[in-house]
């Protein structure tokens, strides 16, 4: 009889796309390793970084922190590669410069079990380039169906967790388009799924030094393009949802 034990699959697979994130990736991974719930694996998908990200990742890799070479080209493809390689029941997204508070996984999984939910997201806080919280918290609704989601991009990627017993891997593959995360949320919700919001700040979103006005201009173009991809909206409906999105985007940043 063999003394070796069969390796148990982790409960959660944390997918982190990495592109030129040498300054932040060690700290970001550290916030996962510091979780109160420890049954997870971390998949670092190296999206053809040209800085020292790979060397930093190699320095923190172990039996729970895997480095995967991405196909290159987009965050969507990097996340999809991570999902394909994942072994956990739950898929959790985390961007390479964001941070989780210690109870993020434990509280979100408990919430998902309580609500019998396959798609969950949480509130989050804006942080400076050093990762320090700025006190500006984005609160989230308890439930977010498709039509309500069209007028608000309130689901932040680093807060999202999927239950693969309710949504298969193919269903959560991100489209390779701009604003790929929002495109995926809308695709899933359009099929009748309802996203469950845990209105507790469990994530910090690190903001960069780029121009806010430039970012919002580009975001507006991307959102308008996504409306055109839905196929079930006429011009007036798109305009209605776009106005709602724009208003809420401004308020969220104030």
């Amino acid at each position: 009889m063999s003394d070796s034990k069969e390796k148990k699959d982790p409960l959660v697979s944390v997918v982190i796309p990495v592109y030129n994130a040498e300054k932040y990736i060690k700290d970001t991974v550290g916030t996962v390793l510091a979780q109160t719930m420890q049954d997870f694996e971390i998949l670092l998908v190296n999206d053809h970084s040209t800085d020292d990200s790979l060397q930093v990742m190699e320095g923190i890799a172990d039996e729970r922190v895997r480095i995967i070479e991405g196909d290159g080209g987009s965050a969507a493809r990097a996340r999809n590669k991570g999902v394909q390689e994942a072994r956990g029941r739950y898929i959790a997204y985390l961007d390479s410069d964001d941070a989780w508070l210690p109870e993020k996984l434990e509280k979100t999984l408990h919430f998902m079990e309580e609500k019998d939910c396959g798609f969950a997201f949480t509130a989050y806080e804006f942080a400076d380039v050093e990762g320090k919280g700025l006190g500006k918290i984005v609160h989230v609704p308890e439930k977010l169906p498709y039509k309500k989601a069209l007028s608000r991009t309130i689901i932040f990627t680093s807060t999202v967790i999927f239950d693969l017993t309710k949504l298969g891997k193919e269903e959560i593959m991100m489209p390779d388009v701009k604003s790929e995360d929002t495109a995926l949320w809308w695709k899933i919700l359009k099929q009748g799924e309802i996203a469950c919001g845990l209105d507790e700040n469990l994530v910090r979103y690190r903001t960069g030094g780029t121009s806010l006005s430039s970012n919002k201009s580009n975001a507006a173009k991307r959102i308008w393009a996504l409306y055109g991809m839905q196929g079930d909206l006429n011009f007036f409906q798109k305009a209605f949802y776009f106005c709602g999105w724009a208003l809420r985007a401004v308020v969220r940043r104030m």
Side-chain angles (χ1 to χ4, degrees):
M1 179 182 295
S2 172
D3 292 332
S4 62
K5 295 183 179 180
E6 184 178 351
K7 191 173 182 180
K8 180 183 176 184
D9 286 339
L11 184 63
V12 182
S13 295
V14 184
V15 176
I16 306 178
V18 181
Y19 176 72
N20 291 352
E22 62 177 351
K23 293 193 298 183
Y24 306 119
I25 188 58
K26 185 175 181 180
D27 288 343
T28 294
V29 170
T31 69
V32 182
L33 296 176
Q35 290 294 298
T36 56
M37 198 287 289
Q38 287 282 303
D39 189 4
F40 57 75
E41 65 173 350
I42 302 173
L43 296 92
L44 301 174
V45 187
N46 183 33
D47 194 27
H48 293 194
S49 295
T50 58
D51 64 358
D52 289 332
S53 293
L54 181 58
Q55 290 88 332
V56 175
M57 289 188 285
E58 288 174 340
I60 58 179
D62 59 20
E63 67 277 0
R64 290 197 300 172
V65 182
R66 289 195 282 151
I67 302 172
I68 299 169
E69 283 301 318
D71 300 328
S74 71
R77 292 171 64 177
R79 292 192 187 100
N80 291 345
K81 182 72 171 180
V83 170
Q84 290 170 348
E85 297 286 336
R87 297 192 295 253
R89 168 180 169 176
Y90 294 93
I91 299 292
Y93 292 130
L94 177 58
D95 284 347
S96 58
D97 55 352
D98 293 330
W100 282 351
L101 274 64
E103 293 183 305
K104 199 277 181 186
L105 284 180
E106 182 178 1
K107 288 189 172 183
T108 308
L109 293 186
H110 177 75
F111 172 76
M112 294 178 76
E113 182 178 359
E114 181 182 73
K115 300 295 183 181
D116 191 25
C117 175
F119 177 3
F121 63 106
T122 77
Y124 62 94
E125 180 181 10
F126 285 98
D128 62 19
V129 293
E130 302 301 324
K132 181 180 179 180
L134 298 174
K136 173 58 180 176
I137 297 173
V138 177
H139 293 279
V140 300
E142 184 178 350
K143 294 183 178 180
L144 190 66
Y146 172 61
K147 290 294 179 69
K148 191 174 181 180
L150 289 174
S151 63
R152 66 205 73 196
T153 50
I154 200 168
I155 301 177
F156 178 45
T157 308
S158 292
T159 74
V160 168
I161 296 183
F162 291 120
D163 183 348
L164 293 180
T165 68
K166 299 181 183 298
L167 290 164
K169 285 188 176 183
E170 287 302 316
E171 292 179 88
I172 66 170
M173 289 292 158
M174 285 192 173
D176 196 5
V177 299
K178 293 181 178 179
S179 292
E180 71 285 342
D181 45 2
T182 299
L184 176 60
W185 318 150
W186 289 2
K187 182 183 77 169
I188 293 172
L189 298 179
K190 190 175 180 179
Q191 296 170 353
E193 190 75 22
I194 295 178
C196 302
L198 173 57
D199 192 22
E200 182 170 350
N201 173 30
L202 296 171
V203 176
R204 285 184 179 160
Y205 166 42
R206 192 193 304 264
T207 56
T210 54
S211 167
L212 178 59
S213 60
S214 174
N215 284 345
K216 298 314 294 181
S217 175
N218 290 334
K221 293 175 183 177
R222 293 195 300 266
I223 290 298
W224 184 258
L226 287 184
Y227 289 137
M229 297 176 190
Q230 297 311 299
D232 61 340
L233 303 176
N234 61 40
F235 175 82
F236 297 103
Q237 289 173 316
K238 288 188 284 186
F240 172 78
Y241 289 122
F242 181 80
C243 289
W245 170 85
L247 177 61
R248 289 179 175 89
V250 170
V251 171
R252 191 164 63 246
R253 288 281 187 168
M254 289 177 61

